[in-house]
Amino acid sequence: SDVSEQTQSSKKKWGWAGRKERVRARLKVLSSLNNIVEVNDKQEEARLNAESLNKALQVTHFRPDARWKRGWDTTILVVTFYYFMVVPLNAVIPRKPTLGEMLVELILSLLLLAHIYVNFNTALIVGKNKFVVDGKRVIRLTYARSWLTLDLLAA
């Protein structure tokens, strides 16, 4: 009986059933290797995203998530609200502006022109993986198609 079991197990090992087991074992090994590759791919993707962000910084682009950029955007928002209030008032109540008012208007107009320059040179963050797009052509075309017209009218 012992001999027949060994014969049966050897048949299984080297027969069709044994081949299935070997294939399953290889698939299991490949699956575990695939998981390792996926983890490495995610790490590589994170590394590439970090490298692209660093590359965007090394070129003459601005980081869109920088602290100063948030302050800049807030300043531009305040300037925009100022224009929303002052321009209609000047249209309704015509009067000659003082030198100080003209100086403020000039400074605010220069800020809006500088805002156009900043937007033309701010890298884009795209997708949920936050991939940084730092190609000058892509940045400028995206800005030209979206906000440039409004920013020129505001300036």
Side-chain angles (χ1 to χ4, degrees), residues 71-81 108 111-112 114-115 151:
W72 176 262
D73 289 340
T74 303
T75 303
I76 295 302
L77 184 65
V78 169
V79 170
T80 305
F81 282 135
L108 294 180
L111 273 175
L112 290 175
H115 179 64
D151 285 347

Side-chain angles (χ1 to χ4, degrees), residues 8-9 11-24:
Q8 292 260 339
S9 67
K11 283 182 182 176
K12 279 187 179 179
K13 203 176 215 180
W14 300 109
W16 182 251
R19 180 178 167 85
K20 283 183 183 177
E21 288 176 20
R22 288 191 306 276
V23 167
R24 283 188 188 125

Side-chain angles (χ1 to χ4, degrees), residues 17-147:
R19 180 178 167 85
K20 283 183 183 177
E21 288 176 20
R22 288 191 306 276
V23 167
R24 283 188 188 125
R26 286 183 186 149
L27 287 175
K28 197 174 197 180
V29 168
L30 288 175
S31 174
S32 65
L33 288 175
N34 191 23
N35 289 340
I36 292 170
V37 169
E38 285 179 13
V39 169
N40 288 340
D41 285 346
K42 289 178 184 175
Q43 291 170 347
E44 181 69 12
E45 182 179 347
R47 186 184 66 76
L48 288 174
N49 285 341
E51 282 181 7
S52 65
L53 186 60
N54 289 335
K55 184 180 175 188
L57 293 175
Q58 289 171 357
V59 186
T60 58
H61 294 96
F62 304 118
R63 272 180 79 148
D65 57 347
R67 183 180 293 180
W68 75 268
K69 181 73 167 76
R70 280 181 267 160
W72 176 262
D73 289 340
T74 303
T75 303
I76 295 302
L77 184 65
V78 169
V79 170
T80 305
F81 282 135
Y82 170 81
Y83 275 117
F84 277 141
M85 292 178 354
V86 170
V87 169
L89 283 175
N90 287 340
V92 173
I93 308 169
R95 62 185 179 85
K96 187 176 179 181
T98 64
L99 182 62
E101 289 173 340
M102 289 186 340
L103 186 62
V104 167
E105 292 284 327
L106 177 67
I107 291 171
L108 294 180
S109 293
L110 291 175
L111 273 175
L112 290 175
L113 287 173
H115 179 64
I116 292 172
Y117 172 79
V118 168
N119 282 339
F120 264 123
N121 293 296
T122 300
L124 303 171
I125 295 181
V126 180
K128 46 185 175 174
N129 291 338
K130 296 187 176 184
F131 184 75
V132 177
V133 177
D134 61 349
K136 286 183 180 182
R137 181 178 166 86
V138 174
I139 292 170
R140 291 177 178 166
L141 282 175
T142 302
Y143 178 59
R145 290 179 185 155
S146 58
W147 289 98

